Amino acid sequence: WSVYMDYDQALKYIEGVSYLGVKPGLERVSALLGRLGHPERKTRFVHVAGTNGKGSTSVMTASALSACGYKTGLYTSPHLARVNERMRLDGAEIPDGEFARVVSALASAAEGLTEPCTEFELLTAAALLWFAEAGADIAVLEVGMGGRFDATNVIPRSECAVITNIGLDHTAVLGDTVEAIAAEKAGIFKGGRAVSYEQPESVAAVLRSAAAKTGTELTFADFSKIEPLSDSVEGQRFRFEGEEYSIRLLGAHQLKNAAVALTALDTLRRSGWDLPAEGVRKGLAAAVWPARFELVERAPLFVVDGGHNPQCVAATAEAIRRYMPGGRCVILMGVLADKNWSAMIDILADVAEGFVCAAPDSPRALPAADLGAELLRRGLHAEVCSSVPEAVEAAKALAGPDGAVCSVGSLYMSGAVRACFGLR
């Protein structure tokens, strides 16, 4: 290489292209990977697209593959505290030294490229290079946005393409109907096998059409075969297709995400992957996914959730009704200005004892004062705080030791909230 970096230099290199923002397209990342010897052709993949539930489905799938003895990569986004969280092997984050090494390789390969790669493209290339060099048997790749023109779609045909729950998000880029968004996400179909969450008929029709055009065998997870057995803040037990499982992830929607993961794993099994039932069971039970209705304290009950669009937040509200005392709690809220936060307020108002407002750590954040003003305009109780730690303390004080708090509105804020409890 002509470029050698330490960890801090590697971070600065990646962050140095953040000004480019989101630029859909595969040309830049393809050119970079070509200069690196096409590492994306040396690993097999499960490719996961969707609006909500991508991360949860990905982590359950990867955990099961690891528990069955496969060296398994996992690529997700965004991160909560450190960029290393985005790429893992058998659950362990990429070490700082390895991150610096692969980014140094990227920087050397990128010299002289006609057009610079975006931040997400560089991170995707870093993960693909690391997985290949580490000899991963398979990697679960979560799409960043959309599917067809997402950097992760540079991979060849996956072992299984997975579509999770589809809703309205990133409408300026992906389209303003769920059908248009489904068509973008179905861009990961390239033949072979695919699995989808149960979708409304109009969305399912789009996916079936895309599968037919690409010669992809598409299976929809059958949610009628989910049988809940027990449910508490400690986790859930359920039966699916006659087998019993337990997961730590909370909320009825996580049983559906688990059913999608299990259907995908069964698809892999039919393709020749050795996935014993006991290994799959252990993998699902071990799967942890921070900031997805995650219990971080008990007095008051304090949950951190990264719900950041109306569909996510509807699942959060349902979980509040299910798990919180009296089905209500104090809402600690911070949102990005470009999200549909007005609809999120509509949903959360029904389960809120009151709101505490803070701004996520993002240039796209809605100022806490603006959020508070809108809540007050609607006649809701709202306190505005100048920092996340201040907001955490205010929310706990408002709830009292016997009450409950749910932090929601943005994954960008979840990392800062978790840090207040010594978590990262």
Side-chain angles (χ1 to χ4, degrees), residues 261-287:
L262 288 166
T263 305
L265 291 161
D266 187 58
T267 294
L268 292 175
R269 194 179 277 128
R270 288 189 286 116
S271 297
W273 291 82
D274 183 19
L275 300 173
E278 189 52 35
V280 170
R281 209 177 342 267
K282 282 182 181 173
L284 252 64

Side-chain angles (χ1 to χ4, degrees), residues 83-120:
V83 72
N84 305 52
E85 298 166 28
R86 295 185 180 219
M87 48 198 90
R88 301 168 184 259
L89 271 173
D90 291 331
E93 295 173 11
I94 184 170
D96 290 358
E98 284 290 281
F99 183 79
R101 187 183 63 76
V102 295
V103 173
S104 295
L106 294 188
S108 294
E111 287 180 345
L113 279 176
T114 310
E115 191 180 356
C117 289
T118 66
E119 185 174 3
F120 184 73

Side-chain angles (χ1 to χ4, degrees), residues 269-314:
R269 194 179 277 128
R270 288 189 286 116
S271 297
W273 291 82
D274 183 19
L275 300 173
E278 189 52 35
V280 170
R281 209 177 342 267
K282 282 182 181 173
L284 252 64
V288 177
W289 196 221
R292 277 68 178 183
F293 213 80
E294 176 192 15
L295 180 65
V296 297
E297 191 173 84
R298 293 180 180 276
L301 273 180
F302 199 117
V303 164
V304 180
D305 190 81
H308 55 277
N309 60 43
Q311 199 173 17
C312 284
V313 167

